[in-house]
Amino acid sequence: WENLEFGAMGKLRLGYERWALTADVVYMGLGASKEGVSADMDQWLVEPSISYRACKCLEPLAGVRYNNLSGEIRGPGVLPTPRIPTGTQEWWDPIVGANLNLPLGKAFSFNLRGDIGGFGVGSDLTWQVFPWFGWQFTRWGSVQAGYRLVYNDYETGSGASRFKYDILTQGPQIGITFSF
């Protein structure tokens, strides 16, 4: 939490009968400094997917997860200049998974989103687990509260140009949904 400068998430879902197209977008701005040297990192995760409602509670899905990381290091002790861009890494991962929806009465539900991917295409492995509770307060609106975990094991290059990103990003998530 101490290194999080800004974070935002959004999801757009378009459905027709049993099919749905979804685009999930996550942004995180991270920063830290010590002894006059600071590091900043921006991360974008964009996840388009297609899903099919097999039954009232289960919706298998397939899609891709795009990751874009960029960062820089600044400070008087950094040579040869006070600002050195560390560059940008980006990659795509295929994913497969499912959404699970379990009603808890008329207005409440327990939901679970899970997926796995990478398979050596981009990452060696990526996965996501996102359990949340929902409250449908009206036909057109609901609120959610949950906890999201996204793991990536990505590596490219060798020697001085080696880049390794083996990270579990996690935290609470709250949201509101408007249905049209």
Side-chain angles (χ1 to χ4, degrees):
W1 285 105
E2 65 192 44
N3 297 324
L4 180 65
E5 294 175 342
F6 182 77
M9 298 178 201
K11 180 185 275 190
L12 177 63
R13 179 183 168 96
L14 302 171
Y16 178 72
E17 294 182 357
R18 291 178 168 233
W19 292 94
L21 293 172
T22 303
D24 198 0
V25 178
V26 178
Y27 170 79
M28 281 191 306
L30 303 170
S33 62
K34 187 172 183 176
E35 299 175 9
V37 177
S38 64
D40 289 305
M41 186 175 103
D42 294 320
Q43 178 177 2
W44 285 94
L45 182 145
V46 180
E47 190 179 275
S49 63
I50 186 168
S51 60
Y52 179 79
R53 186 168 305 278
C55 63
K56 187 176 181 177
C57 298
L58 180 64
E59 187 175 42
L61 64 91
V64 292
R65 181 173 296 134
Y66 169 73
N67 284 281
N68 181 299
L69 302 168
S70 61
E72 67 179 25
I73 300 171
R74 295 182 307 276
V78 179
L79 297 175
T81 65
R83 181 180 169 274
I84 299 175
T86 56
T88 300
Q89 290 288 328
E90 59 184 355
W91 67 95
W92 292 86
D93 290 315
I95 58 168
V96 293
N99 294 313
L100 182 64
N101 178 316
L102 301 172
L104 302 174
K106 291 183 180 183
F108 295 94
S109 64
F110 173 76
N111 305 274
L112 178 66
R113 158 69 189 255
D115 63 58
I116 189 165
F119 312 115
V121 175
S123 299
D124 287 333
L125 175 66
T126 184
W127 56 261
Q128 173 178 218
V129 176
F130 179 29
W132 79 92
F133 288 96
W135 172 45
Q136 186 84 35
F137 58 86
T138 184
R139 271 188 41 205
W140 55 264
S142 64
V143 293
Q144 303 84 33
Y147 197 83
R148 190 173 194 170
L149 301 98
V150 181
Y151 174 75
N152 278 291
D153 182 6
Y154 173 77
E155 185 174 353
T156 187
S158 62
S161 65
R162 180 176 179 240
F163 176 80
K164 182 163 179 64
Y165 186 73
D166 189 357
I167 298 290
L168 174 62
T169 305
Q170 61 182 321
Q173 183 172 324
I174 58 172
I176 187 163
T177 298
F178 299 103
S179 300
F180 302 99

